[in-house]
Amino acid sequence: MSRSITGGLVALGLVLLVALAIYGTGGTRDRWLGEWTGELDIVSPEAPPDGFARTLNTLIVKIKLDGTFDITASGMGSNGKWRFAGDELRLKTTHVMGKSIADGGPNAVKANKEIVLTWNGDGTITFIDPGSDDPSPVVLSPAPQRNAAQ
C-alpha cells in the first residue's frame, strides 16, 4: 500500500510540474501578443510634423496567437510566422506588400533575415531587423488596448 501511495504522489507531482510548465509558457507567450508601436528614424525630428512624416517614422508590430505576425513599417506591410528562441521572439517574414518572398528568387530568400524581438524589463520590446538597411534597434511599446482584440 505504501508503494501505491508513493507512486500516486509522484504521478501527481509530475502532473503538477507539467501543468506549471505549460501555464508558465503560456504566460511568457501571452506577454508578447498584441500590437506594439515604435518610432523609426527616417524623417528628421526637425521636419514639419505632418501625416506623411508620421507614417514614415511609424513601426507597428502585431503578434498574433496563431503564430503569425503583421508589420507595418513606414506604411508598407509585411507578415510571416514567429517562433520562440530562448528569451527572444524571432520573426520570419514570408510576404512583403502581399507578395511572397519566395517569388523573388533565391537571392531574396537568402537576404531574408529573421527579425529579433527582445523583451525588456520595463514591459517594452526591442526590435532589430538585421536584414534592413538600418538594423538599429527600435524600442516598441504596447499600443493602447493592445490585447483587447487579438
Side-chain angles (χ1 to χ4, degrees):
M1 179 148 167
S2 169
R3 280 189 180 169
S4 70
I5 292 174
T6 304
L9 289 175
V10 169
L12 178 61
L14 287 173
V15 168
L16 288 173
L17 283 174
V18 168
L20 285 173
I22 291 170
Y23 176 76
T25 301
T28 301
R29 180 202 61 217
D30 290 350
R31 71 181 181 183
W32 298 92
L33 298 177
E35 185 172 313
W36 300 84
T37 61
E39 293 291 318
L40 300 171
D41 190 21
I42 294 174
V43 177
S44 167
E46 288 81 38
D50 63 14
F52 184 66
R54 275 193 304 278
T55 297
L56 287 177
N57 276 351
T58 300
L59 174 64
I60 301 169
V61 179
K62 295 178 185 173
I63 307 296
K64 301 178 185 177
L65 183 61
D66 67 358
T68 63
F69 69 88
D70 295 322
I71 293 177
T72 304
S74 300
M76 296 185 2
S78 61
N79 57 50
K81 297 186 180 290
W82 60 262
R83 68 178 179 86
F84 282 111
D87 292 336
E88 300 173 336
L89 203 65
R90 299 284 180 126
L91 312 181
K92 188 65 170 181
T93 303
T94 58
H95 292 80
V96 175
M97 302 287 292
K99 304 240 183 236
S100 171
I101 288 179
D103 291 347
N107 288 338
V109 172
K110 185 177 179 183
N112 183 23
K113 308 280 188 228
E114 282 187 326
I115 297 166
V116 180
L117 301 182
T118 306
W119 186 262
N120 301 322
D122 62 357
T124 62
I125 294 174
T126 299
F127 174 102
I128 298 175
D129 184 356
S132 78
D133 293 335
D134 181 8
S136 301
V138 178
V139 175
L140 304 176
S141 299
Q145 304 293 324
R146 75 177 181 94
N147 287 321
Q150 296 174 27

